[in-house]
Amino acid sequence: MSRAKLRDLGLDLPLLPTSTVGSFPKPDYLVEARARLGKNAISRAELSDLEKKATEFWVRTQEELGVDVLVDGEQYRGDMVAYFAELMGGFARGGLVRSYGNRYYHKPAIVGEARWPGPMTVEWWRWTQALTDRPVKGMLTGPYTLMDWSFNDHYPDRKAACLALARELRKELEALLEAGAKVVQIDEPALSVRPDELGFAVEAMHGVVDGLRAYYITHACFGAFETIYPGLLDLPVDNLDLAISHSALDLLAMFEKDPFTKDLSLGVLDVHSHVVESPEEVKARIRRGAGVLPRERIWVDPDCGLKTRTVEESRRKLAAMMAAVRELRGAPA
Ligand SMILES: [Zn+2]
């Protein structure tokens, strides 16, 4: 079914299509430049040039490695929620909250009616797609995660906030598709935070994508999937990208009970580890996935964004992934 949709969209992808989740590490010169912008030591135009240089570096790297569906690497984004919250109307900078360890950050706050400000990701998508013949994914943060990772000081409840954000994100999606994007990833890492809210998270995703033609992927990186499976399958997307590189591989046992009905992106690289997987390890992880789903429905990628790894670690991990996939493509099922 989804293979047919891909072909319909003009995408002829090989067996076990490969991609990455979204973010790549920023090269040192870009990290330094972002710090200097904060001190007004360089202009925004100078920073933008360096963001483009880094984006092109990652496009060429993905091409050299042989990745099938590319990302822009999010060299111009900080956090996946803050990026949108800083651009959209209705948001303000909220109070400081503690994240991991002793790091604090300003959690966005919804203080008025959410409003699409005009294209937020389209120019970067267009610029990146112009660099390559391979398809580049559009990358959005989903309405449920935008809502969950923000304070709500405006809407009567979480559902109302989530549905309002969906209505505005749909405008961004329309703009991306108009520019030519055919594969769009709408990330919902917060999805399993409150299983009782899955119903309106699904309703919100319908609000974003219904009637708009593209191949949709949703990445969900942490949480207890057993609490939202099989309800998760109600999400109106073609492909679920799940972090199952190591511990959570038991998830596959759940698929035997309640059959998985979509394409599955198997996250086969542990992005939280410095250790570079061997092609053998990656092959074993893909084979476990192929044990419960037809190979035609499996995509292969890292288990989350690679931004916390070094440039070299990212490249070596992806090289191992690609070596494993190439071997499996040549092997009998
Ligand atoms: Zn993730």
Side-chain angles (χ1 to χ4, degrees):
M1 164 92 183
S2 290
R3 274 269 152 190
K5 185 176 192 180
L6 286 166
R7 269 195 302 275
D8 229 41
L9 289 162
L11 295 169
D12 185 20
L13 299 177
L15 185 67
L16 302 172
T18 53
S19 192
T20 61
V21 172
S23 66
F24 282 127
K26 295 178 177 72
D28 291 342
Y29 61 79
L30 184 53
V31 175
E32 283 160 26
R34 286 168 67 93
R36 292 181 68 211
L37 182 78
K39 297 174 195 145
N40 287 320
I42 61 165
S43 68
R44 187 154 288 281
E46 286 170 292
L47 179 68
S48 175
D49 285 344
L50 294 175
E51 289 167 345
K52 285 182 174 165
K53 178 180 165 184
T55 303
E56 180 157 14
F57 164 76
W58 282 117
V59 167
R60 297 298 166 236
T61 300
Q62 292 171 87
E63 285 180 328
E64 280 159 28
L65 288 163
V67 177
D68 300 295
V69 178
L70 310 193
V71 296
D72 69 18
E74 302 180 7
Q75 302 297 292
Y76 54 94
R77 297 190 196 183
D79 171 82
M80 63 182 287
V81 166
Y83 178 74
F84 290 95
E86 281 166 15
L87 291 171
M88 284 178 82
F91 279 89
R93 204 161 117 132
L96 276 176
V97 295
R98 190 172 179 167
S99 65
Y100 305 102
N102 275 323
R103 293 187 53 183
Y104 287 80
Y105 73 102
H106 284 278
K107 183 171 167 174
I110 307 172
V111 295
E113 194 66 28
R115 191 173 40 76
W116 181 64
M120 300 181 277
T121 63
V122 177
E123 275 318 300
W124 273 109
W125 180 84
R126 208 193 295 271
W127 191 85
T128 308
Q129 184 63 83
L131 293 174
T132 179
D133 292 333
R134 296 179 182 235
V136 174
K137 282 194 277 199
M139 301 292 302
L140 303 177
T141 300
Y144 185 79
T145 299
L146 275 182
M147 177 279 295
D148 187 62
W149 292 3
S150 304
F151 293 113
N152 170 25
D153 297 334
H154 177 73
Y155 292 99
D157 54 38
R158 288 164 59 85
K159 178 178 178 179
C162 182
L163 296 179
L165 288 167
R167 189 187 63 226
E168 298 307 298
L169 283 170
R170 179 182 178 88
K171 297 172 188 169
E172 181 69 16
L173 176 61
E174 283 172 333
L176 263 176
L177 301 191
E178 210 172 279
K182 294 183 160 63
V183 180
V184 180
Q185 184 172 311
I186 306 174
D187 289 332
E188 287 286 25
L191 213 52
S192 62
V193 173
R194 301 189 190 186
D196 56 314
E197 293 182 343
L198 185 63
F200 75 71
V202 167
E203 185 182 340
M205 191 64 89
H206 274 288
V208 179
V209 306
D210 277 4
L212 301 178
R213 188 167 159 275
Y215 181 86
Y216 294 107
I217 302 172
T218 288
H219 168 71
C221 46
F222 38 74
F225 291 110
E226 63 276 10
T227 60
I228 52 170
Y229 192 82
L232 185 64
L233 297 173
D234 293 336
L235 270 187
V237 299
D238 302 284
N239 183 318
L240 287 174
D241 179 23
L242 305 177
I244 49 183
S245 71
H246 44 139
S247 56
L249 263 173
D250 288 350
L251 195 66
L252 299 176
M254 287 162 41
F255 296 173
E256 286 172 347
K257 187 161 161 280
D258 293 295
F260 191 79
T261 52
K262 299 180 183 300
D263 291 349
L264 173 66
S265 289
L266 275 177
V268 295
L269 299 174
D270 182 353
V271 303
H272 298 294
S273 167
H274 291 288
V275 179
V276 176
E277 287 83 354
S278 70
E280 288 308 314
E281 280 172 279
V282 175
K283 272 201 291 188
R285 289 169 184 172
I286 299 172
R287 283 209 182 95
R288 290 187 68 174
V292 288
L293 270 192
R295 281 218 249 176
E296 288 67 30
R297 285 171 45 201
I298 295 178
W299 288 44
V300 178
D301 65 358
D303 68 7
C304 196
L306 282 158
K307 70 177 179 186
T308 57
R309 299 275 59 82
T310 66
V311 170
E312 202 41 40
E313 282 166 355
S314 302
R315 195 208 291 264
R316 289 174 57 211
K317 278 175 175 275
L318 287 174
M321 180 181 97
M322 295 308 303
V325 166
R326 269 190 288 271
E327 285 177 43
L328 287 174
R329 278 177 185 159

